[in-house]
Every structure is written in C-alpha cells, then in structure tokens.
Amino acid sequence: MTHRFDGWSISDVTLENFPEILPKSLCLQIEIFLPPSGSFDTPTLRRYLENLKNYEEEDPTFAMTLANRLRVAFQDMEPDTICGKFPNADLPLKRRLRCVAEYLIRAGEFDKLRDENGKLIKKRGVLGKLVVIYQPLVKMRETLVRQGLMKK
C-alpha cells in the first residue's frame, strides 16, 4: 500500500509550495487550515503534517476499508471473535465490523463457526455477552494477496 508520506520531506513543505510537494489527498485535508480561511503558518503546517504522519505510522490500517481491516486482523486464519481481534474498538465500530463480517460471509471469505449439529459456537465477549466466532476462509487469504496486503 502506498504511504502518503513517502517520497518527500516535511521540512521542505511551505505555505507557498505545498501543492507541488504534497499528495492531493493531503492538500485537500489541509486547505481549510490555510489562509485566508485558516490560520496555519509554515511551522504550524509542518507540525500538523508531522502529527498526521505519526498517527498514520502508528496505525497501519488507518486508510483501509473496514473489510480490509477485518481481513488483515484475521490473516492468521485462526477463528476468533471481533472483540478478540479488536479489543480496543468502541461499540459502534464493533457493530459496523459485524455488518462487514456479514458481507464477507456472503462473499465467501468468512463463515461463522458451527458445531457438528450446525449450531453456532459462541463465547463470552469483553462485555460478558455471547458473541459469534468467525472463521476466515481460503478466499479471504486470496483477496489479501491480490490486494498486496499479504504475501503468499
């Protein structure tokens, strides 16, 4: 995956030359902070870019879709719960991830773990509720490899 901070240096960026140096996505992100509508000067712009860079490097899934975040989290191909793979996620994010997991089930990349009678196998989640265990399937690994998020 291409990183927005590759190929240029923050110390080279000024209010005058940012459109030539920064990727378009960053230009759009900072325009509101620049004069005349904003109050950034060159040092403030550089500090902001440094903060963005640190944040994006800290979280490698920052710019990924929720489907790809789920795929990457389950790339070890081990069955687990969403709570187990995303222990620090807030409740609304977990709900969205469950919706995306249902999409991945329909796409043939995930399945819900079931016993020999076809009954769902569940375990207690972080909040004490019973939660579904998801099993990644071979197609998920193929998708990760095709998108360059995983090596064969």
Side-chain angles (χ1 to χ4, degrees):
M1 177 185 285
T2 310
H3 196 276
R4 299 193 307 168
F5 291 89
D6 289 345
W8 56 275
S9 173
I10 290 175
S11 61
D12 294 337
V13 177
T14 67
L15 289 179
E16 293 76 32
N17 70 7
F18 80 91
E20 294 85 39
I21 294 178
L22 299 181
K24 185 173 179 82
S25 65
L26 278 175
C27 287
L28 293 172
Q29 190 170 346
I30 65 164
E31 281 179 346
I32 192 167
F33 302 117
L34 304 177
S37 61
S39 61
F40 273 18
D41 55 8
T42 294
T44 307
L45 173 60
R46 289 179 182 161
R47 281 194 306 276
Y48 180 76
L49 291 171
E50 195 65 50
N51 285 335
L52 278 177
K53 180 180 179 185
N54 291 338
Y55 179 77
E56 289 186 21
E57 287 175 348
E58 195 174 281
D59 182 5
T61 63
F62 169 74
M64 286 186 189
T65 63
L66 289 179
N68 279 344
R69 284 184 182 193
L70 267 175
R71 290 177 181 119
V72 168
F74 281 88
Q75 72 183 353
D76 61 3
M77 301 302 285
E78 295 296 321
D80 202 351
T81 63
I82 288 176
C83 295
K85 293 293 185 179
F86 298 90
N88 298 326
D90 58 11
L91 201 52
L93 176 58
K94 287 179 184 175
R95 285 186 184 126
R96 291 194 327 263
L97 287 167
R98 282 196 303 273
C99 290
V100 173
E102 292 298 323
Y103 160 77
L104 292 175
I105 288 169
R106 289 190 301 278
E109 296 183 45
F110 261 157
D111 202 2
K112 293 178 182 176
L113 208 55
R114 298 178 184 275
D115 64 15
E116 59 277 346
N117 297 324
K119 188 175 177 185
L120 287 176
I121 300 173
K122 297 181 179 183
K123 73 178 194 180
R124 296 238 177 255
V126 177
L127 299 175
K129 293 183 176 184
L130 289 175
V131 292
V132 173
I133 300 171
Y134 293 96
Q135 170 67 53
L137 302 176
V138 175
K139 185 176 177 186
M140 189 197 73
R141 181 182 296 265
E142 293 168 357
T143 302
L144 285 167
V145 170
R146 187 177 59 246
Q147 292 185 16
L149 298 171
M150 181 179 169
K151 296 184 190 222
K152 285 187 179 185

